[in-house]
Amino acid sequence: IERIIEQYRNRLSADPADIRKELARSIARSMAIRRGRRLSTAEMERLVSDLLRCAEPSLGIDGKPCSRVMTHEEILAQLRRS
């Protein structure tokens, strides 16, 4: 929480819309599942379900691609290359 507040204070002069986005990103980062944590099947299913309900499910909180839907043909092409 302290880190989120500090980041918010550092951006007070920025556009309010940007501040809200940064605050949301900061909260998302702080609540993210830590690397290496094992998830149950139910947790994994919920995670995927929540992801697919997002406005931009293929983008992470940093705006970079985090997932991609592939067609059957694309999967086969990737397997043929391997």
Side-chain angles (χ1 to χ4, degrees):
I1 292 175
E2 289 175 359
R3 183 176 59 210
I4 293 169
I5 292 169
E6 185 61 33
Q7 288 175 351
Y8 183 77
R9 283 185 187 145
N10 291 338
R11 312 246 321 133
L12 282 178
S13 62
D15 178 23
D18 289 340
I19 291 172
R20 281 192 288 273
K21 286 181 185 177
E22 286 300 318
L23 185 58
R25 285 185 181 124
S26 182
I27 292 169
R29 280 187 196 101
S30 68
M31 296 187 69
I33 298 167
R34 300 293 174 230
R35 187 178 301 224
R37 179 172 173 258
R38 291 183 155 228
L39 301 176
S40 69
T41 301
E43 288 172 316
M44 288 186 272
E45 288 173 354
R46 169 99 191 256
L47 188 61
V48 171
S49 174
D50 289 349
L51 174 66
L52 294 176
R53 279 196 300 254
C54 291
E56 292 288 341
S58 63
L59 299 178
I61 58 174
D62 56 3
K64 296 179 183 176
C66 66
S67 65
R68 187 178 114 178
V69 176
M70 297 176 70
T71 65
H72 182 74
E73 291 75 22
E74 288 174 317
I75 294 170
L76 289 175
Q78 288 292 324
L79 293 172
R80 286 186 196 114
R81 288 185 205 159
S82 297

